[in-house]
Amino acid sequence: MAANDPELAVRGAVSDAELRTLFSAAWGDDSGTCWAPILARSLSWVTARRGETLVGFVNVATDGGRHAFLLDTTVHPDEQHRGLGTRLVRAAADQARTGGAEWLHVDYEPHLTGFYAGCGFRPTTAGLLRVAPSPGSAR
C-alpha cells in the first residue's frame, strides 16, 4: 500500500448520505437505501476514505453459518483501476474468514469477471429469481 492510498476501515462509520453520494457517482443511482438496518445485520463491511471522503465500500452479509456474501462493492470513479477494489474485496474476505465463514459468494455482471477472478473468485453456475416487481412495473 502506498502512502497516498485511501485508508480502509473495518466496520468504519458511514452515513446514508455518504453512501448515497458514492453510489450515485459510481452507479448513477443512490437507491435511497437506509443503510442502518442493513449494516446492523451484516457480518461486516469495509469503508475506504481519502481524507474525510468516502471513496469505497463493500458489505459482507452472512447466513449465520458457513456462507458469506459480498455485496455492493463500490469504488468512486476517480479511484478506479488503482487497486482499491481489490483491497476492499480482500479485506472483506478476511472479515468473512474471521467471522467463521467457509465460503464467500459474489454475484457480478460479465464485464467484472476479470476483476473478481483477480481477487481469487472462480465462476460457478447460479440462479436468480426476482421475487419483487421490477422498479416501475405494475404489480
Side-chain angles (χ1 to χ4, degrees):
M1 181 175 84
N4 62 345
D5 283 346
E7 184 176 333
L8 300 188
V10 172
R11 298 180 73 87
V14 64
S15 70
D16 285 350
E18 290 177 305
L19 285 164
R20 288 179 182 144
T21 298
L22 175 63
F23 277 62
S24 184
W27 305 110
D29 176 20
D30 71 10
S31 77
T33 300
C34 181
W35 284 91
I38 295 168
L39 298 181
R41 292 185 301 270
S42 293
L43 177 64
S44 192
W45 62 90
V46 183
T47 59
R49 292 185 180 276
R50 181 172 295 287
E52 297 297 315
T53 304
L54 183 70
V55 296
F57 174 81
V58 65
N59 187 19
V60 184
T62 182
D63 68 352
R66 297 172 41 175
H67 300 271
F69 306 86
L70 199 62
L71 301 170
D72 303 311
T73 307
T74 304
V75 173
H76 191 283
D78 293 344
E79 301 285 342
Q80 291 177 359
H81 307 291
R82 299 182 194 172
L84 178 56
T86 301
R87 289 178 56 215
L88 283 165
V89 169
R90 287 183 178 155
D94 288 344
Q95 289 302 298
R97 187 179 309 103
T98 300
E102 184 177 341
W103 297 98
L104 181 60
H105 303 259
V106 65
D107 292 329
Y108 52 84
E109 295 179 0
H111 72 277
L112 294 171
T113 299
F115 168 75
Y116 283 107
C119 292
F121 287 86
R122 59 181 172 82
T124 63
T125 302
L128 180 66
L129 171 66
R130 179 178 282 282
V131 296
S134 298
S137 70
R139 289 190 180 241

